[in-house]
Amino acid sequence: MILANFVGNLFYLLNCCVPKTSGKIIFNGFPDFEDMLRGLLPYLDGNIIVLVKEPNLVRPNWLPLQVEIVQKHSFMGFWHILTSAEIYYTHGLFSFFRTISSEKQFVVNLWHGMGLKNVGLLDGKKNMPQSHKTICTSPFFQKVQAETFGMNLEDVLICGLPRNDILNKKTANTELIRIREKYSKCYVWLPTYRKSGVGDIRIDGDTSSVFCFDDFDYIRLNILLVEKNEVLIIKPHPMAVLDKFNEELSNIKIISESWLTKNSTTLYELLSVSDSLWTDYSSVFVDYLVTDKPIVFIAPDLELYKKSRGFSFDINEIQLPGISITTQDEFFDLAFKPPSQGSIKMNKEIFNTIRRYNDNLLRN
């Protein structure tokens, strides 16, 4: 603790004293190359530096060549932070990082979604990443984000999320086009983690199955998908600790960040070609509302999750915008049926999801 305080105070003093380079912009996200970065790039004008945790990463083809990649935990990583005029991050920079004057160094917390589950101060945390501004998609989430980070409402700007710009764009990615041409429908299943092995180590549930259900009948699901000539792509949360699943299935694909990188794409570009989103407590459902496509909430451990992690709002009062499933029988009965458009419309009005990021509002 003493050492951490010393490092934090020293870095803060250096940050106050070291001159900033006009136009130098730092981005730090998790995963290193992710959709907040991809969506933000068109709005940035200057010397852009992406700080990465993993060395020797394959450079994605969507990242402009003039964007510099620097290892975060290195002398140059620290130096770029100390000399940058603007900083954007999704999960915080360093635990010891403290903001200085926004006129000297402007810090924006893009975060990583509008939370259904409790995070930050709502989750009992005491120290949250510092920033001058953060963003949200609606007045509803403006209050949630302010409470999450202990910020004033006026510092939580309703300007949409950069990554949402990707959801309604037509893809030119050859692998995603191949998937669309091969199958009549594509479902994307994005479960959040119950057991975390990265960052904040925690346990919020008792299942480690990639399918969310223990003893899930994935053979039955695969047969159903084959009969319908449809495909399911499952992308586990990058922080999740899961049981290994090595079985090859014809119409169920389990992918990772490395699959996305290998195929020169990102998660939100994959979502742009999907016909439906399956998820549980992930904030991705709020973003996906901009597509007007069906959402299926698969949450067999709903009551346990309520008690362990809890939610940022009462989901009994504000109905989730889609079909809710808690058992395998419900899954096979309901997962492929379209949800009520009335419930989607009602909840879109509550969440007021913004389709495009507004950089001018943020900077002014």
Side-chain angles (χ1 to χ4, degrees):
M1 179 64 71
I2 295 175
L3 178 59
N5 288 335
F6 173 77
V7 172
N9 290 332
L10 176 61
F11 195 90
Y12 177 78
L13 180 62
L14 288 171
N15 206 18
C16 289
C17 297
V18 173
K20 309 307 174 192
T21 302
S22 178
K24 178 182 276 194
I25 301 169
I26 293 291
F27 179 91
N28 181 222
F30 177 81
D32 287 320
F33 301 127
E34 50 92 70
D35 287 282
M36 282 295 198
L37 170 61
R38 189 174 185 181
L40 186 66
L41 284 171
Y43 297 95
L44 300 180
D45 183 19
N47 178 23
I48 305 167
I49 296 153
V50 179
L51 298 181
V52 300
K53 181 178 179 181
E54 300 294 334
N56 305 317
L57 287 170
V58 176
R59 185 186 190 95
N61 67 353
W62 51 262
L63 188 68
L65 292 176
Q66 65 269 26
V67 174
E68 189 176 354
I69 301 171
V70 176
Q71 192 170 354
K72 181 179 178 180
H73 295 90
S74 68
F75 173 80
M76 287 306 300
F78 287 116
W79 179 250
H80 283 310
I81 293 171
L82 290 172
T83 55
S84 66
E86 296 180 31
I87 296 175
Y88 297 84
Y89 63 71
T90 65
H91 288 68
L93 201 57
F94 294 105
S95 59
F96 58 77
F97 179 80
R98 290 151 55 193
T99 56
I100 60 174
S101 166
S102 61
E103 286 75 22
K104 188 171 185 180
Q105 185 181 68
F106 185 48
V107 181
V108 179
N109 177 3
L110 297 172
W111 203 231
H112 41 284
M114 301 297 99
L116 167 58
K117 59 191 178 187
N118 282 332
V119 296
L121 299 180
L122 294 177
D123 191 34
K125 302 293 189 299
K126 294 182 179 179
N127 298 309
M128 291 303 296
Q130 290 194 11
S131 66
H132 299 109
K133 302 291 180 183
T134 190
I135 61 177
C136 66
T137 61
S138 70
F140 178 87
F141 278 114
Q142 185 183 39
K143 295 177 182 177
V144 173
Q145 294 295 82
E147 293 175 2
T148 295
F149 298 108
M151 298 176 72
N152 296 322
L153 272 180
E154 58 266 27
D155 292 325
V156 182
L157 304 181
I158 305 171
C159 64
L161 308 186
R163 67 187 182 193
N164 286 2
D165 288 358
I166 301 169
L167 286 173
N168 286 312
K169 285 184 177 179
K170 186 175 181 179
T171 184
N173 182 277
T174 55
E175 176 61 19
L176 298 183
I177 291 172
R178 185 196 68 82
I179 290 172
R180 287 305 318 168
E181 291 177 346
K182 182 176 180 180
Y183 299 100
S184 59
K185 283 191 176 180
C186 172
Y187 307 98
V188 176
W189 192 348
L190 300 178
T192 191
Y193 61 85
R194 304 303 191 277
K195 300 178 182 179
S196 168
V198 179
D200 182 16
I201 309 299
R202 61 182 301 150
I203 298 176
D204 293 318
D206 59 0
T207 181
S208 299
S209 169
V210 71
F211 297 101
C212 293
F213 295 94
D214 291 325
D215 301 319
F216 182 72
D217 193 351
Y218 53 84
I219 298 296
R220 179 184 175 187
L221 176 58
N222 193 64
I223 292 172
L224 182 61
L225 291 165
V226 170
E227 291 173 348
K228 295 158 65 73
N229 188 36
E230 297 174 350
V231 66
L232 168 64
I233 300 175
I234 304 176
K235 167 64 172 61
H237 194 284
M239 292 182 179
V241 176
L242 298 169
D243 298 331
K244 288 187 177 180
F245 185 86
N246 297 320
E247 190 166 345
E248 292 289 334
L249 298 167
S250 61
N251 289 51
I252 300 175
K253 315 294 183 184
I254 301 173
I255 67 168
S256 63
E257 288 299 322
S258 61
W259 184 94
L260 294 170
T261 301
K262 179 182 177 182
N263 289 285
S264 302
T265 188
T266 52
L267 179 60
Y268 274 50
E269 187 174 21
L270 170 62
L271 286 174
S272 75
V273 304
S274 66
D275 292 283
S276 178
L277 168 68
W278 299 358
T279 188
D280 44 18
Y281 317 116
S282 173
S283 64
V284 69
F285 86 87
V286 178
D287 299 355
Y288 199 75
L289 285 170
V290 307
T291 69
D292 297 317
K293 297 175 183 177
I295 303 173
V296 178
F297 294 90
I298 304 170
D301 57 352
L302 178 62
E303 294 304 317
L304 177 60
Y305 203 89
K306 273 186 189 177
K307 294 176 182 177
S308 61
R309 183 66 174 260
F311 301 119
S312 61
F313 58 88
D314 190 339
I315 62 173
N316 292 320
E317 291 184 3
I318 301 177
Q319 182 184 358
L320 294 175
I323 295 172
S324 293
I325 289 171
T326 58
T327 68
Q328 281 204 58
D329 287 341
E330 288 179 341
F331 175 88
F332 285 103
D333 286 343
L334 302 174
F336 297 95
K337 294 182 179 179
S340 163
Q341 292 300 309
S343 68
I344 291 179
K345 183 176 186 298
M346 176 190 69
N347 285 278
K348 284 188 72 172
E349 291 173 356
I350 293 172
F351 299 140
N352 194 26
T353 302
I354 295 177
R355 290 181 180 270
R356 291 192 63 80
Y357 174 67
N358 187 341
D359 185 62
N360 289 329
L361 177 62
L362 180 67
R363 289 171 180 264
N364 294 328

